[in-house]
Amino acid sequence: MSAAEDHTRWREQRRTAVTAPTGNLALVETRWTGAVPDIEAVQEGMPDSITVTP
């Protein structure tokens, strides 16, 4: 594999990683409520592309 091909492959892998749902460029919403979250209630009605964590 040439250096150019290797760089192209790396660039595509990096782009995929940083734009993934939990990658560096992910849009993150944080809610500090102090209460234990009801993950199922929060996730209800959300698209599959949304990741909800406690």
Side-chain angles (χ1 to χ4, degrees):
M1 177 180 304
S2 73
E5 291 170 329
D6 189 40
H7 181 260
T8 299
R9 193 182 92 234
W10 170 84
R11 192 176 66 211
E12 289 302 316
Q13 290 173 339
R14 182 68 181 144
R15 180 179 294 136
T16 299
V18 300
T19 60
T22 57
N24 295 19
L25 298 178
L27 298 176
V28 177
E29 177 182 341
T30 302
R31 298 179 188 180
W32 299 97
T33 63
V36 176
D38 182 351
I39 299 298
E40 291 179 10
V42 173
Q43 186 119 37
E44 188 174 315
M46 296 280 187
D48 290 338
S49 61
I50 302 294
T51 301
V52 179
T53 61

